[in-house]
């Protein structure tokens, strides 16, 4: 599918998929490519599909439409074109060529054991570093000056290409380019200027001078030369004396020396992204030694500088796009995080408001019925009073029930907000677990006990089976408790709409593997195979408004921090099984007093359970 | 026997249904409820309630197709519908003031429901 990606402007990071016959571009609602840019007209342009290409047509916009920096009224687009509407810059990506899909069939990789006719032998091999050695001048100086110079130039280009491909930091890249130029050319000073995206003005980024040259001296560059270089996209070699008719070695100008400079455009794919400037001064003494000649920079230097600047410009463009993409993705991720959390917090707040309102109404009703009782006591008719007493008592009972219901809802939402905060903290922090000798059985039993009211409320049967034998293990009790709680809560919630929903939580210790496991099985609706891959992704929730999409990724993070993992097995229509695995390895401290067969840890501590498959 | 208005609550959250049920029952309203928006249409068709209160979170589709369908059906049967939550502007049925953004306060919501039921009476 073709697309437009906004790389500059208020909508930076937005992507518009293009598939319709016509797409309208404009700043008002109703445009399929809507740009929040005051310099974009209401109906600015149209993208018209012709087969597998889009044609851009300007709709008599106030500020015009530009393709790759050139005004466009109607133009067929190709992948990589930059479209400018107002201050917004968009990158166009066309449809994939059909032939790309077929390439796999046209190339055959023959296995080593294959008995084909291909009996190729390796007759020569060269390493990556050896491959570039031929660019170095020959030690014996046997090559002609022309070949030696060509080799040297090629080596410069090779090194430039290597340098620009090794960094994604523009400042580092420019500094490296400048450094290389100074290794190669006898320049006194140099600087690289890049165009500011917002103002379009050249801004100095790197400045360098040859050792021994005064550094405090400002580099003054003629604006006329800079404008010429940028507008004509041509490099120039300048001298402040070459065409001076007054030139005469005997005259005073010799006393001042001559300054020569090379200024080249950094020509990217579409636009000039900056300029590179170097200069050198020839002293009067040197000029006299050279019979009055000053020119150290030649046209060959100019050509190479243009080539280097082009390489650098491509790298600057790539890095800028990469940065824009990363920034856009980061903004999108932040936006998604805020939207997702806001949605969940809104639901919690809604619950708190609902619960509070029930309490408020219940209190009001209760006050009314109590006041009524007092008024009735003042009355004289005893028979009437008995009847009224009963009615008022019933009213009072109803209002207390309402208060209780409201309070339960408030409490539940308090737990939700607390769980959300804990999950957010766990997810956001790079934390190191604080392990201490702990009992896997006991932590799991506590989680099950904690979830008992929730499962009862949803009519889900919660079964707990403790491991008969479980050594004491080293783990962060609080963190593992959080992970177990998330998994068990999810399983119970998954069974909410299931008749005779059941969640079985089973702990076990695998002696040979030295591994503790907690298996949480439910008979809920299960997870579709296509959703399995995303189930541990952050903010992916199948619980609608109730789910934060943090529980599973947080639980997995906790287990992984302990060197463990969470396994998932699910069958749509039958249910899911989550297995939390914690390797004990050398962490095992001592054998824990295992609960007797058929006895759970929870039982030993609270006597609330009666057998190994206890229903909580 | 006085007429009891009937309200169909469509909400995936048991808790939200509980709250609305408690509040509306207190006012003497009869409650019908479902957690699934897909089931709401047939219930509305069969029971002809006086009002539908539907939570937007019930409809997981990005185009809110189920909400659209329910709103259309309610409109055909002249049943007022209140949608709770947020719907994207470009996929929003014409609900006017009957789209109540979350988090909302219950007192104004109950007044709105009472007024819509009153208009039908």
């Amino acid at each position: 599918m073709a697309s437009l990606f906004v790389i500059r402007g208020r909508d930076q990071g937005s992507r518009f998929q293009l598939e319709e016959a016509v797409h309208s571009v404009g700043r008002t609602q109703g445009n399929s490519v809507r740009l929040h840019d005051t310099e974009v007209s209401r109906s600015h342009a149209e993208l018209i599909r012709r087969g597998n290409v889009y044609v851009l047509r300007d709709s008599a916009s106030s500020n015009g439409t530009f393709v790759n920096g050139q005004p466009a009224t109607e133009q067929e687009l190709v992948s990589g074109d930059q479209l400018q509407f107002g201050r917004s810059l968009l990158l166009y990506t066309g449809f994939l060529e059909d032939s790309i899909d077929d390439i796999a069939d046209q190339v055959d990789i023959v296995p080593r054991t294959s008995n084909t006719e291909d009996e190729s032998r390796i007759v020569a091999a060269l390493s990556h570093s050896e491959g570039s050695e031929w660019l170095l001048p020959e030690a014996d100086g046997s090559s002609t000056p022309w070949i030696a110079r060509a080799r040297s130039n090629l080596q410069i280009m090779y090194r430039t290409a290597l340098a620009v491909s090794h960094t994604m930091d523009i400042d580092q890249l420019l500094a490296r380019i400048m450094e290389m130029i100074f290794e190669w050319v006898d320049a006194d000073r140099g600087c690289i200027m890049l165009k500011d995206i917002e103002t379009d003005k050249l801004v100095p980024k790197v400045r360098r001078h040859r050792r021994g040259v005064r550094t405090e001296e400002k580099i003054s560059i003629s604006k006329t030369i800079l404008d010429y270089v940028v507008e004509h996209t041509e490099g120039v070699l300048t001298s402040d004396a070459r065409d001076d008719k007054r030139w005469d070695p005997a005259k005073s100008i010799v006393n001042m020396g001559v300054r020569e400079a090379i200024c080249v455009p950094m020509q990217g794919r579409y636009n000039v992204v900056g300029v590179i400037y170097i200069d050198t001064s020839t002293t009067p003494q040197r000029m006299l030694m050279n019979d009055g000649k000053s020119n150290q920079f030649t046209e060959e230097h100019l050509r190479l500088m243009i080539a280097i600047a082009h390489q650098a410009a491509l790298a600057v463009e790539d890095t800028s796009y990469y940065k824009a993409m990363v920034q856009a993705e980061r903004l999108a991720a932040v936006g998604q995080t805020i939207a997702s959390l806001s949605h969940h917090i809104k639901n919690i707040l809604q619950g708190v408001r609902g619960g509070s309102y029930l309490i408020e109404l219940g209190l009001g009703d209760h006050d009314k019925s109590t006041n009524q009782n007092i008024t009735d006591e003042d009355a004289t008719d005893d028979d009437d009073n008995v009847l009224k007493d009963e009615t008022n008592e019933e009213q009072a009972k109803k209002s207390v029930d309402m208060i209780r219901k409201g309070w339960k809802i408030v409490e539940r939402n308090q737990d939700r907000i607390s769980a959300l905060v804990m999950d957010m903290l766990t997810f956001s922090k790079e934390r190191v677990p604080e392990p201490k000798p702990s009992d896997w059985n006991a932590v799991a039993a506590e989680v099950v006990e904690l979830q008992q009211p929730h499962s009862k409320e949803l009519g889900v049967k919660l079964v707990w089976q403790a491991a008969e034998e479980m050594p004491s293990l080293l783990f962060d009790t609080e963190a593992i408790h959080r992970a177990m709680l998330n998994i068990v809560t999810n399983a119970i919630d998954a069974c909410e709409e299931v008749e005779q929903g059941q969640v079985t939580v089973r702990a076990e210790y695998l002696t040979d593997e030295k591994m503790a496991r907690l298996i949480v099985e439910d008979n809920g609706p299960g997870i579709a195979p296509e959703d399995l891959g995303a189930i541990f992704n952050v903010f992916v929730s199948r619980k609608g408004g109730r789910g934060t999409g943090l529980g599973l990724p947080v639980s997995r993070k906790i287990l992984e921090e302990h060197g463990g993992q969470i396994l998932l097995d699910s069958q749509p229509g039958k249910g899911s099984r989550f297995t939390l695995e914690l390797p004990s390895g050398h962490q095992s401290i001592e054998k824990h007093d295992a609960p007797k067969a058929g006895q759970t840890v929870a039982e030993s501590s609270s006597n609330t359970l009666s057998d190994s498959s206890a229903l909580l | 026997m006085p007429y009891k208005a009937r309200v169909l609550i469509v909400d995936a959250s048991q808790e939200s249904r509980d709250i609305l049920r408690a509040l509306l029952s207190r006012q003497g309203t009869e409650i019908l409820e479902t957690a699934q928006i897909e089931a709401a249409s047939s219930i509305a068709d069969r029971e002809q309630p006086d009002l539908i209160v539907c939570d937007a979170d019930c409809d997981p589709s990005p185009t809110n197709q189920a909400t659209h369908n329910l709103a259309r059906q309610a409109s055909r049967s002249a049943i007022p519908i209140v949608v709770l939550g947020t719907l994207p502007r470009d996929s929003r049925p014409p609900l006017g003031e009957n789209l109540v953004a979350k988090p909302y306060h219950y007192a104004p919501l109950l007044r709105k429901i009472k007024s819509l039921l009153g208009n039908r009476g």
Side-chain angles (χ1 to χ4, degrees):
Chain A
M1 192 186 291
S3 68
L4 283 176
F5 182 68
V6 186
I7 54 178
R8 194 177 77 199
R10 258 192 71 189
D11 298 285
Q12 185 180 341
S14 301
R15 188 183 290 280
F16 299 96
Q17 303 290 1
L18 306 176
E19 51 188 343
E20 304 295 329
V22 178
H23 283 275
S24 57
V25 182
R27 74 163 192 272
T28 51
Q29 209 181 336
N31 287 290
S32 50
V33 180
R34 187 184 178 193
L35 298 169
H36 298 85
D37 183 334
T38 50
E39 292 184 26
V40 169
S41 299
R42 286 187 175 85
S43 297
H44 197 106
E46 278 184 336
L47 289 151
I48 302 142
R49 186 169 175 175
R50 287 185 192 152
N52 257 3
V53 291
Y54 270 101
V55 173
L56 176 67
R57 186 186 290 160
D58 183 72
S59 308
S61 62
S62 307
N63 294 321
T65 297
F66 298 83
V67 177
N68 302 328
Q70 300 299 315
T73 48
E74 184 165 332
Q75 186 167 333
E76 193 174 295
L77 299 176
V78 293
S79 274
D81 276 347
Q82 288 185 3
L83 282 50
Q84 191 177 342
F85 309 103
R87 295 173 67 80
S88 303
L89 193 64
L90 289 77
L91 185 69
Y92 172 77
T93 306
F95 293 95
L96 277 178
E97 294 292 331
D98 291 344
S99 58
I100 290 175
D101 298 330
D102 302 327
I103 285 181
D105 299 333
Q106 295 167 16
V107 180
D108 227 1
I109 298 173
V110 183
R112 281 183 200 195
T113 51
S114 173
N115 294 323
T116 61
E117 290 174 0
D118 181 17
E119 292 179 352
S120 303
R121 297 273 183 279
I122 295 171
V123 289
L126 270 180
S127 71
H128 159 74
S129 54
E130 288 168 323
S132 56
E133 270 176 16
W134 69 276
L135 294 170
L136 295 171
E138 280 164 32
D140 58 4
S142 59
S143 55
T144 65
W146 187 88
I147 290 177
R149 213 167 45 244
R151 273 187 167 170
S152 161
N153 290 347
L154 264 175
Q155 204 204 1
I156 289 162
M157 290 317 299
Y158 180 74
R159 286 177 56 197
T160 309
L162 276 184
V164 299
S165 62
H166 275 62
T167 177
M168 290 306 278
D169 182 296
I170 290 183
D171 291 337
Q172 255 184 30
L173 167 84
L174 298 179
R176 181 77 193 111
I177 294 282
M178 202 78 247
E179 200 178 297
M180 284 175 46
I181 291 171
F182 270 71
E183 280 174 23
W184 161 67
V185 66
D186 208 9
D188 288 344
R189 309 175 306 174
C191 83
I192 299 180
M193 288 180 269
L194 290 187
K195 256 190 183 177
D196 183 274
I197 290 176
E198 298 297 326
T199 62
D200 233 22
K201 283 184 180 164
L202 288 167
V203 179
K205 291 287 178 187
V206 176
R207 181 186 191 277
R208 196 187 156 99
H209 61 90
R210 188 155 53 92
R211 199 169 291 168
V213 173
R214 283 190 304 144
T215 55
E216 64 274 19
E217 191 184 340
K218 269 193 174 179
I219 301 179
S220 305
I221 307 170
S222 153
K223 189 166 184 314
T224 313
I225 290 177
L226 286 178
D227 287 346
Y228 180 90
V229 167
V230 172
E231 277 167 30
H232 293 80
T233 62
E234 286 176 6
V236 294
L237 172 61
T238 67
S239 165
D240 61 3
R242 182 176 295 182
D243 297 325
D244 197 325
K245 286 177 184 165
R246 296 169 303 161
W247 174 249
D248 182 342
K251 294 257 172 91
S252 61
I253 198 162
V254 175
N255 298 331
M256 296 164 64
V258 171
R259 183 172 295 282
E260 290 171 79
I262 285 178
C263 187
V264 290
M266 291 175 72
Q267 175 67 50
R269 287 172 187 83
Y270 314 108
N271 298 316
V272 173
V273 299
V275 295
I276 301 181
Y277 172 90
I278 53 170
D279 69 15
T280 182
S281 295
T282 309
T283 59
Q285 292 81 0
R286 194 163 169 188
M287 279 179 66
L288 288 172
M289 282 165 60
N290 288 350
D291 294 331
K293 288 180 185 166
S294 64
N295 51 324
Q296 296 179 45
F297 289 166
T298 63
E299 280 192 24
E300 192 178 339
H301 287 117
L302 178 61
R303 279 195 205 99
L304 255 175
M305 282 291 290
I306 288 172
I308 289 172
H310 182 49
Q311 284 283 324
L314 295 178
V316 166
E317 273 185 349
D318 288 347
T319 309
S320 303
Y321 292 153
Y322 174 76
K323 272 189 169 174
M325 296 279 272
V326 168
Q327 176 71 358
E329 277 170 20
R330 199 172 289 159
L331 284 174
V334 169
Q336 193 202 2
T337 307
I338 292 171
S340 188
L341 289 177
S342 305
H343 183 72
H344 191 67
I345 291 168
K346 228 158 48 174
N347 281 331
I348 293 174
L349 187 55
Q350 196 58 64
V352 171
R353 279 190 180 168
S356 312
Y357 194 60
L358 285 177
I359 294 171
E360 191 187 326
L361 291 181
L363 287 172
D365 288 353
H366 190 264
D367 283 351
K368 268 186 210 161
S369 58
T370 316
N371 290 339
Q372 194 62 46
N373 266 342
I374 295 166
T375 320
D376 292 343
E377 276 169 17
D378 296 340
T380 49
D381 193 335
D382 286 348
D383 288 344
D384 275 2
N385 273 349
V386 172
L387 199 63
K388 280 174 185 167
D389 277 352
E390 280 174 5
T391 316
N392 288 338
E393 254 176 47
E394 202 178 311
Q395 278 298 325
K397 191 176 168 296
K398 269 187 182 172
S399 53
V400 169
D401 282 349
M402 189 177 270
I403 293 169
R404 216 167 259 143
K405 183 178 272 201
W407 178 242
K408 249 172 109 175
I409 291 169
V410 170
E411 247 186 343
R412 193 160 50 224
N413 282 287
Q414 262 182 17
D415 290 345
R416 276 187 195 148
I417 198 90
S418 158
L420 174 67
V421 170
M422 292 310 294
D423 277 347
M424 285 197 297
L425 283 174
T426 311
F427 188 78
S428 62
K429 271 194 297 189
E430 274 307 321
R431 58 192 292 283
V432 180
E434 291 173 17
K436 58 183 180 194
S438 311
D439 184 346
W440 183 259
N441 261 339
V443 176
E446 197 184 312
V447 165
V448 173
E449 204 169 336
L450 202 65
Q451 284 303 297
Q452 185 188 10
H454 181 52
S455 64
K456 268 188 185 161
E457 199 178 342
L458 299 188
V460 177
K461 190 175 169 186
L462 182 58
V463 178
W464 163 233
Q465 297 171 350
E468 289 187 5
E469 195 175 308
M470 180 66 71
S472 179
L473 303 169
L474 273 179
F475 61 84
D476 187 324
T477 321
E478 240 175 72
I480 291 293
H481 182 275
R482 170 134 298 280
M484 288 179 173
L485 186 68
N486 281 335
I487 303 292
V488 173
T489 311
N490 278 353
I492 295 168
D493 288 343
C495 294
E496 185 180 357
E497 303 293 331
V498 177
E499 265 190 50
Q500 296 186 324
Q502 177 168 323
V503 173
T504 306
V505 182
R506 189 173 80 246
E508 61 182 25
Y509 184 74
L510 308 179
T511 315
D512 291 345
E513 286 94 338
K514 290 188 174 170
M515 183 181 291
R517 303 213 302 185
L518 189 78
I519 299 152
V520 183
E521 269 180 300
D522 68 66
N523 63 348
I527 303 160
E530 61 269 23
D531 292 337
L532 282 175
I535 202 81
F536 285 99
N537 288 357
V538 68
F539 296 132
V540 172
S541 172
R542 297 169 65 251
K543 295 203 289 189
R546 290 172 305 154
T548 57
L550 276 173
L552 281 179
V554 160
S555 305
R556 183 167 71 172
K557 184 170 183 260
I558 290 168
L559 265 294
E560 285 177 352
E561 281 168 353
H562 285 78
Q565 61 177 342
I566 299 180
L567 305 173
L568 166 60
D569 182 20
S570 185
Q571 287 184 19
K574 289 190 175 174
S576 304
R577 184 174 65 229
F578 284 83
T579 306
L580 283 71
E581 289 190 345
L582 179 82
S584 60
H586 63 280
Q587 293 184 337
S588 177
I589 304 287
E590 62 190 37
K591 280 265 181 189
H592 183 80
D593 286 342
K596 290 173 200 159
Q599 184 193 32
T600 66
V601 172
E603 183 186 15
S604 58
S605 59
S606 64
N607 281 333
T608 53
L609 307 173
S610 57
D611 59 42
S612 62
S613 290
L615 169 64
L616 290 175
Chain B
M1 194 174 166
Y3 174 74
K4 260 188 151 183
R6 296 200 306 163
V7 173
L8 170 60
I9 301 169
V10 189
D11 200 319
S13 157
Q14 176 73 48
E15 182 181 284
S16 303
R17 294 202 304 270
D18 284 350
I19 295 170
L20 276 175
R21 193 193 315 110
L23 294 174
L24 293 172
S25 302
R26 186 175 167 276
Q27 294 183 341
T29 310
E30 192 183 325
I31 302 299
L32 305 162
E33 61 183 272
T34 176
Q36 289 164 343
I37 194 163
E38 294 81 6
S41 292
S42 57
I43 296 174
D45 217 21
R46 193 175 62 240
E47 302 289 341
Q48 291 292 309
D50 297 290
L51 175 75
I52 300 171
V53 180
C54 172
D55 188 289
D57 284 344
C58 285
D59 188 350
S61 77
T63 53
N64 298 106
Q65 196 50 50
T67 312
H68 272 277
N69 293 345
L70 187 61
R72 257 199 302 272
Q73 187 186 341
S75 167
R76 273 200 304 272
S77 312
I79 303 170
I81 180 167
V82 176
V83 176
L84 309 173
T86 317
L87 293 171
R89 197 183 287 264
D90 50 359
S91 64
R92 187 184 293 175
L95 293 162
E97 288 181 359
N98 288 355
L99 179 64
V100 180
K102 281 183 189 175
Y104 48 84
H105 285 280
Y106 281 88
L109 176 68
L110 290 177
R111 278 200 295 274
K112 180 182 280 294
I113 291 173
K114 202 172 173 182
S115 146
L116 289 167
L117 290 174
N119 290 343
R120 275 176 72 82

